[in-house]
Amino acid sequence: MGDGNANVARYLTLAAQASPDAPALKLPLRSQGELSYEAISFKRLEASACAAAAYCEKHGIRRGTRVLLMVKPGFDLILSVFALFKVGAVPVVIDPGMGWKHFRSCVRQSRPEALMGIPAATWLSPLLLRGCRFRHKLTVGSRRWRACLAQSAEQSAPASRPPTDFAVASPTDLAAILFTSGSTGPAKGVRYEHGMFEAQVRLLKERYQVEPGEVDLTLLPVFALFNPALGMTTVVPEMDPSKPAAADPAKIVEAIQKAGVTNSFGSPALWSLIARYCEREGKTLPSVRRIQMAGAPVPPGLIRRMKPLLPAGEINTPYGATEALPVASICGREILEQTQPLTDEGRGTCVGTAFPEMTVRIIRLTDAPLREMADDLCVPVGEIGEITVCGPTVTKSYEARPEATAAAKLSDSADPSRIWHRMGDLGYLDEHGRLWFCGRKAERVQTPEGDLYTDCCEAIFNRHPDVYRSALIGLGKPGHQTPAIVIEPDPGKLPTSPSARTAFEKEMLAVAASHPLTQRIGRVFIEAGLPVDVRHNAKIHRLALGRKFTRAQG
């Protein structure tokens, strides 16, 4: 493989050498309602990736070629990504749930030269991606593609590409372009280097004590790409990853129990579904050692509900973003024993201590670009400001968005080689060095009397037994906004008559008046369901709600 090669494709090769017959993937099969699995060994996955890499090269994909991926999660996605890494090509990954208008904008921004997709994607690309031209198109799942993979299944690796033969990459070489979800602004292409992926693997393995041979059910597809490096088996779930809140919890629980899953990552919206199902059906998840909930703040109440379902497991709530992942983490036990009372009183959500090698600073709140990190930007312990982070997983720039890069990145006055990322989140560090999240900077409500922070204010309402979740919004223009709260009642608690609606609103106004943080909130709106992001189905679109109700006020 060559010393000094930072290409992340080597992790699959190393796993195939260390545990050739161990299952790398388990693909679900259903026959007359019964669930079983097709196992793909690390040896077979490596051979298939080598064959796919040779196939890519044969069809014009070279080192540095940008390749738009339009492949379904599971075997084909993992295989395609590792094949492209082996070639030295650059996968471009965009969330299709954002809608075709925004998807096309991201494609134009990232300028891929090739399209690698399922048959429907390559056939319909002239219509779906009009105006986007590709020099090469590869159809994953075509007859030729399947013939190529079938050949690899019969031998350890195709003769055209030995398993140790992949492009040499330095830690700073571009590895992939991954787009943000665009939940509080336009989606942006984040430039990932090979060294950043390597650092992510190292930090996750050390913090969560992941052991080779564990079994992972990844409910957010991109995280399955870490599993070969961690020596874990990936169980592909039966769900549409673009709609996690619409997943069938019965199928997820069945997969966990039948496959002996030890690790799983998913959004709070999905784990809430699973918790309700397990409580209703009297089921537990005894094989699970740890789960990670992320993508949005995790309500302490959800952690409390999940604890009895995991007799041998712990809950972790990692914090980070596409641009910097991971940053910090806290376990469920610490939340329930130490931080939940403070969250309930509007102090924000504790997201724990920083990962080793990651440094967190809180800087004073400003919407203006900042060129350089300096001590005089930082606020005292306990004071709310913008969360910034520096470390080996912090990305350096956005693709073709210099203005966005300037707004989000700072150099270090002491070490120009270090890059700080402004998370766009508000929070503070406490006296124990723990990081607390108070809300998105773009979603703060700016009133003449001062700012209100979403996570802090919403916690006051979320304590009410009839409230599923809430959203703090501002009516009017920033600086002159009137604060309001939008309530999504618990299932079955939605008021069904004008009088019941009026009574519910009065009850919520009484809640607002009961706490100093929320006393200025004088408007209540009730919605059957709050709009959420497409990736996690958990991040509330507060800005959209603010525009909606501002227009309604005339």
Side-chain angles (χ1 to χ4, degrees):
M1 282 174 275
D3 293 338
N5 190 349
N7 191 326
V8 292
R10 76 186 191 281
Y11 283 120
L12 177 55
T13 303
L14 292 171
Q17 292 172 342
S19 305
D21 298 320
L25 295 174
K26 288 190 174 181
L27 310 179
L29 301 171
R30 278 204 180 265
S31 177
Q32 298 180 338
E34 289 294 319
L35 175 64
S36 61
Y37 288 97
E38 177 191 1
I40 308 292
S41 69
F42 279 107
K43 178 181 178 181
R44 180 179 165 190
L45 180 59
E46 165 70 358
S48 295
C50 289
Y55 185 87
C56 289
E57 288 180 319
K58 181 179 178 180
H59 289 81
I61 308 301
R62 299 287 184 266
R63 179 185 179 91
T65 301
R66 297 185 179 198
V67 183
L68 175 63
L69 275 179
M70 297 182 71
V71 180
K72 291 182 178 180
F75 174 68
D76 284 337
L77 177 63
I78 294 172
L79 175 64
S80 299
V81 169
F82 275 98
L84 293 175
F85 283 157
K86 283 179 177 291
V87 173
V90 179
V92 177
V93 182
I94 307 171
D95 195 330
M98 67 176 60
W100 288 113
K101 177 182 177 182
H102 298 297
F103 192 94
R104 283 193 293 270
S105 176
C106 293
V107 174
R108 295 189 186 103
Q109 179 183 320
S110 54
R111 298 169 288 114
E113 304 159 72
L115 168 62
M116 191 170 181
I118 60 174
T122 54
W123 295 340
L124 296 176
S125 60
L127 175 64
L128 299 175
L129 300 175
R130 55 186 179 275
C132 304
R133 297 186 176 183
F134 303 99
R135 294 175 57 192
H136 314 284
K137 290 184 182 180
L138 283 76
T139 303
V140 174
S142 67
R143 184 164 51 85
R144 291 181 179 178
W145 172 269
R146 293 185 187 281
C148 169
L149 299 189
Q151 177 191 5
S152 74
E154 298 172 359
Q155 46 192 353
S156 62
S160 58
R161 178 174 283 275
T164 56
D165 178 20
F166 46 78
V168 175
S170 74
T172 56
D173 282 348
L174 182 64
I177 299 174
L178 309 181
F179 273 80
T180 63
S181 64
S183 57
T184 55
K188 300 179 286 292
V190 181
R191 292 172 57 88
Y192 262 83
E193 299 170 358
H194 283 271
M196 295 168 186
F197 282 130
E198 176 143 10
Q200 287 178 326
V201 170
R202 182 173 68 250
L203 296 184
L204 291 170
K205 184 174 183 178
E206 291 175 359
R207 183 67 172 255
Y208 297 131
Q209 297 295 296
V210 178
E211 298 177 1
E214 289 199 43
V215 181
D216 177 64
L217 181 72
T218 302
L219 304 174
L220 187 65
V222 70
F223 281 86
L225 300 174
F226 289 115
N227 287 344
L230 296 170
M232 284 201 291
T233 298
T234 299
V235 177
V236 176
E238 296 179 283
M239 61 176 282
D240 181 350
S242 68
K243 299 176 181 178
D248 183 348
K251 290 184 176 179
I252 294 173
V253 170
E254 183 183 10
I256 291 173
Q257 294 179 333
K258 181 154 285 190
V261 168
T262 64
N263 184 82
S264 189
F265 183 106
S267 76
L270 188 46
W271 286 114
S272 182
L273 279 178
I274 295 167
R276 287 200 296 269
Y277 170 79
C278 288
E279 289 169 348
R280 186 171 66 249
E281 300 296 326
K283 295 182 179 294
T284 61
L285 309 173
S287 67
V288 176
R289 298 183 190 177
R290 74 188 75 75
I291 64 172
Q292 286 85 34
M293 297 186 192
V298 179
L302 175 57
I303 295 172
R304 189 174 297 280
R305 293 175 69 185
M306 286 294 301
K307 285 291 286 183
L309 309 179
L310 304 171
E314 181 57 276
I315 298 164
N316 302 291
T317 62
Y319 168 75
T322 307
E323 299 93 332
L325 179 76
V327 173
S329 184
I330 186 172
C331 71
R333 183 179 61 257
E334 185 175 357
I335 291 173
L336 296 180
E337 294 177 357
Q338 299 181 31
T339 68
Q340 179 181 355
L342 298 175
T343 295
D344 289 345
E345 287 301 317
R347 293 286 300 276
T349 298
C350 186
V351 295
T353 54
F355 277 76
E357 306 179 49
M358 304 299 290
T359 305
V360 174
R361 285 187 172 185
I362 310 298
I363 63 173
R364 64 174 181 266
L365 181 55
T366 177
D367 292 312
L370 298 169
R371 294 186 59 186
E372 194 173 67
M373 174 60 75
D375 290 343
D376 60 3
L377 288 177
C378 299
V379 301
V381 168
E383 184 174 323
I384 294 175
E386 183 175 4
I387 301 169
T388 64
V389 60
C390 180
T393 70
V394 172
T395 57
K396 299 172 184 176
S397 63
Y398 296 110
E399 176 64 25
R401 293 287 300 274
E403 75 292 344
T405 298
K409 307 296 181 181
L410 297 84
S411 62
D412 192 302
S413 58
D415 183 356
S417 66
R418 287 161 54 91
I419 297 294
W420 290 82
H421 176 69
R422 299 171 69 176
M423 295 290 288
D425 291 338
L426 302 176
Y428 61 93
L429 290 167
D430 67 16
E431 64 274 17
H432 304 293
R434 296 178 302 198
L435 177 63
W436 292 72
F437 171 83
C438 297
R440 292 288 291 166
K441 182 172 70 171
E443 293 176 338
R444 73 191 190 276
V445 174
Q446 301 175 64
T447 78
E449 294 79 25
D451 292 348
L452 297 179
Y453 308 120
T454 57
D455 202 68
C456 301
C457 293
E458 290 163 9
I460 308 304
F461 296 91
N462 293 345
R463 294 182 302 183
H464 193 283
D466 293 344
V467 173
Y468 174 57
R469 57 186 168 189
S470 61
L472 177 72
I473 62 171
L475 305 177
K477 295 182 178 180
H480 304 278
Q481 290 179 322
T482 300
I485 195 76
V486 186
I487 302 293
E488 178 182 341
D490 259 331
K493 300 294 184 179
L494 181 70
T496 56
S497 68
S499 60
R501 194 177 189 89
T502 299
F504 193 88
E505 290 173 355
K506 287 183 177 180
E507 194 169 352
M508 292 301 104
L509 287 173
V511 172
S514 71
H515 198 283
L517 280 178
T518 53
Q519 286 175 347
R520 284 185 277 160
I521 298 174
R523 299 297 306 275
V524 175
F525 303 101
I526 302 172
E527 293 279 277
L530 300 183
V532 292
D533 69 298
V534 297
R535 182 169 296 175
H536 303 286
N537 286 182
K539 294 179 181 177
I540 300 169
H541 286 307
R542 297 175 180 85
L543 298 179
L545 286 168
R547 291 190 292 268
K548 171 184 173 178
F549 288 108
T550 295
R551 288 194 299 268
Q553 301 306 299

